[in-house]
Amino acid sequence: MSETESTDGTEEVVVVGAGPTGLWLAAELRLQGVPVTVLEARTERDAHSKALTLHPRTLEILGMRGLADTFLSEGMQVPTGHFGSLESRMDFRVLDTPYPFTLFLPQARTEALLEEHARSRGARILRGHRVTGLEQGPEAVRIEAEGPEGPYVLRARHVVGCDGTRSVVRRAAGIDFPGTDATVWGWLGDVVLERPPVLPLSASGPHGGLMAVPMPGGVTRFVGHVPEDRCAGHPGELTLEEVRERTRRLVGDDFGMRDPRWLSRFGNATRQAAAYREGRVLLAGDAAHMHFPVGGVGLNVGFQDATNLGWKLAATVLGTAPGGLLDTYHAERHPVGAALLASTRAQTALMTGYSPEGQALRGVLSELIDTVPEFSRALAERLAALDVRHPPAGPAAHPLTGTRAPDLAFTDGTRLFSLLRDGRHLLLELDGHRGTDAVPAGRPLPHGTRRHTVRPMAAGARWSEVRRVLIRPDGHVA
């Protein structure tokens, strides 16, 4: 892709926040040849890992860019997952994906790999640069920031806030963040153990719930919740003695906890940005949605926000986008965020169902997961984000429009995901098929679309009769 150059000193895109969402968005913009600067307030990467899990759809996206093997080589594959900490676990191995598992990989390492990737693409990442405000103009956004050498101002054609739930970008752009305040609190402790149990360890019942997993460096993470932490106000700073007492209460032993590396509380405050775009300002990740961190989906949804936005914003900057393309970012991702909030609220209710009625509900749903494969698979597909379908443009759209394209295998030895590594639209002409066209005849193709004529190997029923199909850079059917 050719570079686009500014002639007046204005940045093309400034991304605020160098977490997973901001770093991946920067890399996606660079893949399309768009200059990008990332401003990060922290001088160093956070050593504490809030997130630990990469879900199948995130791994598929990494696979589309040729990066999946790098992450797989550093993480641990977990073939099952939980919904609301129910005793019965969903089996990801039944899912139609090359990655039928979640990947256990601490966020600190995920961020390191993503930063390395973004820098290798040519992204400019500035640490110790804190954005304090911004103001939109007709041609650019004026950004106020503070860096190591003091306050300064820069201009950008577009600004993307990937700066977390307390987003300065969101507030400065005047975007509402409606929702509910916290009424339930969980707790987290990264500690050293004198007598480590067999891990992972989990327990759930009327007295609360607990999960323990191994972390790098000989540390064990305990995450839990108890009935007394159902309260509107913050319960106060977490202490090691609290973690010990609650662990003993729930599993009968504190395993000789000592040397806490990180103690923290988190609440179920649930909010979503009213708009993911306001003029030249956009939001992604936690800046656009916040929720109780159940199911380990937050990092993944932000990552997927960035994948949806990257190619659309790049086409807008490069002048190749059709009218209204950038507006489809909100239209497609806001419903996904709303579904995320509904799911996490439902799981929070299950996790904190301490009453006899709540425990009975947990038992019924656990039994359904064990005995109704379709139910278990539907939950797994939702958690894995394999069920996301963007709304088609009209009622006459082909049934595949908006769906996620699977990693189809072709007789020439290629697979679909490998054909998407350059981030371009891909027109697949499936040789030998006499079925329907997912691409209407005479429809103009997006700028830079690459054609590929192949003969597919065995495909699912929905794909077996397709003759021509246009795949977007994010892997969804256009």
Side-chain angles (χ1 to χ4, degrees):
M1 297 287 181
S2 61
E3 297 280 347
T4 179
E5 298 289 346
S6 173
T7 58
D8 61 358
T10 301
E11 304 275 347
E12 290 295 348
V13 179
V14 168
V15 173
V16 182
T21 300
L23 291 169
W24 185 247
L25 176 59
E28 288 291 276
L29 289 167
R30 288 300 305 136
L31 179 63
Q32 304 287 349
V34 173
V36 58
T37 296
V38 182
L39 303 180
E40 169 55 54
R42 297 171 299 175
T43 57
E44 296 181 358
R45 193 177 304 110
D46 193 346
H48 301 307
S49 294
K50 295 180 181 179
L52 301 175
T53 305
L54 298 180
H55 284 280
R57 182 55 181 166
T58 300
L59 295 172
E60 286 190 345
I61 294 168
L62 290 169
M64 292 175 200
R65 303 298 184 252
L67 296 172
D69 288 347
T70 299
F71 284 78
L72 294 177
S73 68
E74 300 213 19
M76 179 178 68
Q77 298 177 20
V78 182
T80 62
H82 71 86
F83 186 86
S85 296
L86 293 174
E87 181 178 353
S88 298
R89 295 177 67 86
M90 300 164 291
D91 187 355
F92 285 95
R93 290 169 293 190
V94 302
L95 299 179
D96 179 20
T97 174
Y99 312 103
F101 46 79
T102 60
L103 189 72
F104 183 89
L105 185 65
Q107 181 174 337
R109 186 56 188 155
T110 295
E111 285 191 15
L113 292 172
L114 291 176
E115 182 168 344
E116 179 182 336
H117 172 59
R119 289 187 184 277
S120 72
R121 291 281 187 192
R124 181 173 174 240
I125 301 172
L126 303 179
R127 291 192 172 273
H129 290 251
R130 182 171 64 92
V131 171
T132 58
L134 57 83
E135 181 179 355
Q136 291 204 62
E139 301 295 331
V141 181
R142 182 180 184 272
I143 304 168
E144 298 175 357
E146 294 180 356
E149 298 180 0
Y152 65 93
V153 172
L154 74 163
R155 289 164 49 86
R157 306 289 183 201
H158 293 89
V159 176
V160 186
C162 302
D163 51 341
T165 57
R166 298 182 178 88
S167 173
V168 172
V169 172
R170 186 187 63 238
R171 293 199 301 269
I175 299 174
D176 289 339
F177 200 41
T180 55
D181 295 330
T183 57
V184 171
W185 299 87
W187 47 269
L188 175 156
D190 287 350
V191 296
V192 176
L193 302 180
E194 294 283 0
R195 305 180 302 278
V198 176
L199 297 174
L201 171 72
S202 64
S204 181
H207 303 297
L210 177 142
M211 178 177 65
V213 295
M215 297 285 286
V219 172
T220 299
R221 169 165 295 181
F222 286 79
V223 182
H225 53 91
V226 291
E228 57 261 42
D229 281 345
R230 296 187 66 166
C231 57
H234 192 282
E237 294 300 315
L238 184 68
T239 66
L240 177 60
E241 187 50 44
E242 280 184 275
V243 179
R244 284 173 174 155
E245 186 278 325
R246 292 171 177 194
T247 302
R248 287 195 296 267
R249 186 197 320 176
L250 293 169
V251 296
D253 194 348
D254 66 11
F255 310 108
M257 289 183 184
R258 61 177 174 83
D259 299 338
R261 305 295 171 82
W262 188 29
L263 300 174
S264 180
R265 296 190 195 271
F266 48 90
N268 71 325
T270 302
R271 299 184 178 276
Q272 184 178 21
Y276 283 19
R277 179 192 179 193
E278 180 60 42
R280 295 179 176 273
V281 177
L282 300 107
L283 304 175
D286 291 348
H289 37 73
M290 69 180 295
H291 53 88
F292 202 55
V294 58
V297 295
L299 182 156
N300 296 270
V301 175
F303 190 94
Q304 293 152 26
D305 287 344
T307 308
N308 183 287
L309 175 59
W311 65 273
K312 297 175 179 178
L313 182 54
T316 301
V317 170
L318 296 170
T320 61
L325 178 65
L326 201 51
D327 289 330
T328 68
Y329 169 60
H330 171 91
E332 292 182 351
R333 292 305 297 176
H334 192 275
V336 173
L340 163 70
L341 268 54
S343 177
T344 55
R345 279 176 162 142
Q347 292 184 71
T348 302
L350 283 173
M351 289 173 62
T352 59
Y354 305 121
S355 67
E357 292 80 7
Q359 294 297 300
L361 176 61
R362 290 178 58 84
V364 168
L365 291 178
S366 283
E367 182 181 1
L368 288 174
I369 289 175
D370 275 341
T371 59
V372 184
E374 297 84 358
F375 179 70
S376 177
R377 180 169 184 148
L379 285 179
E381 286 181 340
R382 175 176 296 189
L383 194 67
L386 299 180
D387 68 335
V388 172
R389 182 188 181 185
H390 303 312
H398 190 279
L400 285 176
T401 303
T403 62
R404 152 196 160 267
D407 191 22
L408 300 172
F410 306 115
T411 55
D412 65 355
T414 61
R415 299 189 69 97
L416 177 58
F417 288 177
S418 67
L419 298 175
L420 293 170
R421 290 187 180 180
D422 59 5
R424 297 162 61 184
H425 280 81
L426 177 68
L427 180 64
L428 279 180
E429 299 174 317
L430 303 177
D431 186 40
H433 279 231
R434 298 179 178 275
T436 61
D437 283 351
V439 184
R443 177 179 175 177
L445 297 176
H447 177 80
T449 296
R450 183 159 58 90
R451 295 174 180 265
H452 194 70
T453 301
V454 287
R455 182 180 294 274
M457 298 173 70
R462 293 195 307 165
W463 285 81
S464 61
E465 297 299 322
V466 174
R467 185 171 57 189
R468 293 173 77 235
V469 60
L470 183 65
I471 310 296
R472 303 184 339 181
D474 59 10
H476 280 258
V477 176

